[in-house]
Amino acid sequence: MTDPTGALPGLDADTGSAAAAAGPASVPRAAGYEIEHELRAALGTGDRPVRIAGVDEVGRGAWAGPVVVCAAITDLSAPPVLPGRGDRTVALTDSKLLSRAHRESFAEILPGWLTGHAIGASAPAEIDEVGMTEALRRAAVRALEALPVPPDVVILDGKQDFLRPPWRVRCEVKADQRSVTVAAASVLAKVHRDRLMAGLDGAFPGYGFADSAGYPSPAHQRTLEMSGPTSHHRLSWSYLDDLPRWKHLKKHRDPLAGEGQLSLL
């Protein structure tokens, strides 16, 4: 049975820790291994170290493109750092706190440092068909099942356990800033999806896919209004309600027929 945070018994977040008690403002920029060490101490009773996968997603709120999930496993060794200004270094952390150049640089070195990593995705048509929560779960499972070794436990960024059993899950708010494993997954997912969306820019000019990665930038919205959605757009999204010329393309899930049923109204 899960608790309200989505964590399984024995995998509850340590809400009494200094970082949790102080709130998000106290979370350091550099990710660490606090969560991983807690999990190993709680679960490490066998003849080998506990395998911990960090999972993070990107693209959940975009209007176009897939939702992408990365699963990453480390050996809990010191993570790589990048040279910064002067004698400073740039530490691995949440991809949103890193510049594009630093994300790209980390994405080049992380695969060789990690014990294993894998990418999973759900395309726009699948998101339209089953909804974001299920599409996100499918993408995460694809990533986890593609790892070279199955993890014993998964760290998810946020409060919601969208994986559900049989996966053992530890949910942590801001895990991408506190967990090296999740931070690595965050960077690799972001860079993978950004590159994928940039690759669509030439075939679909005007939408700004190379700059906004399918999110609703002003250029994206203007081109949508003039030219309509592409084959890479999510057609069940509410943005179509504000585009009278293209509103007829919107897909609707029938609430009486199950989450996966679609109709055009």
Side-chain angles (χ1 to χ4, degrees):
M1 179 177 179
T2 59
D3 69 11
T5 67
L8 296 180
L11 303 180
D12 301 52
D14 182 8
T15 55
S17 68
S26 70
V27 177
R29 284 181 61 90
Y33 281 124
E34 172 193 1
I35 301 170
E36 287 88 341
H37 287 315
E38 288 178 5
L39 287 171
R40 281 199 168 185
L43 303 175
T45 59
D47 56 358
R48 61 168 176 78
V50 177
R51 289 192 291 262
I52 303 167
V55 167
D56 204 9
E57 55 80 20
V58 64
R60 189 190 302 220
W63 289 1
V67 61
V68 170
V69 176
C70 180
I73 298 178
T74 79
D75 61 2
L76 272 65
S77 61
V81 296
L82 300 175
R85 295 180 180 178
D87 58 354
R88 296 182 179 181
T89 57
V90 178
L92 181 62
T93 187
D94 173 15
S95 64
K96 296 184 293 295
L97 299 179
L98 298 169
S99 68
R100 175 176 291 191
H102 287 148
R103 287 195 300 267
E104 292 280 351
S105 295
F106 271 123
E108 294 301 315
I109 58 178
L110 284 173
W113 172 73
L114 290 167
T115 302
H117 78 284
I119 297 286
S122 287
E126 185 172 26
I127 295 170
D128 289 335
E129 180 184 357
V130 301
M132 178 52 75
T133 300
E134 175 61 15
L136 184 58
R137 187 194 70 81
R138 291 183 182 187
V141 169
R142 287 164 186 153
L144 288 165
E145 290 182 343
L147 288 170
V149 292
D152 300 304
V153 63
V154 176
I155 305 173
L156 285 183
D157 181 29
K159 295 181 178 180
Q160 180 188 16
D161 176 8
F162 54 79
L163 274 173
R164 305 189 300 271
W167 301 98
R168 306 177 78 183
V169 172
R170 164 83 171 255
C171 293
E172 279 285 352
V173 175
K174 294 191 179 294
D176 47 10
Q177 295 180 32
R178 298 177 55 210
S179 160
V180 169
T181 314
V182 178
S186 170
V187 169
L188 291 173
K190 171 69 172 168
V191 171
H192 177 91
R193 188 178 185 279
D194 282 355
R195 289 174 178 174
L196 186 155
M197 296 305 296
L200 299 176
D201 200 65
F204 302 96
Y207 294 90
F209 288 158
D211 298 319
S212 63
Y215 283 85
S217 67
H220 188 175
Q221 295 181 64
R222 286 194 301 268
T223 304
L224 260 176
E225 187 171 1
M226 292 185 297
S227 304
T230 71
S231 57
H232 296 278
H233 278 85
R234 301 168 188 181
L235 298 181
S236 59
W237 252 225
S238 61
Y239 69 85
L240 281 170
D241 295 335
D242 299 321
L243 300 173
R245 185 179 174 187
W246 310 105
K247 189 175 180 179
H248 66 284
L249 297 176
K250 186 173 181 182
K251 293 184 177 180
H252 301 261
R253 271 181 298 277
D254 183 348
L256 300 179
E259 188 178 12
Q261 299 296 317
L262 282 171
S263 63
L264 286 174
L265 301 181

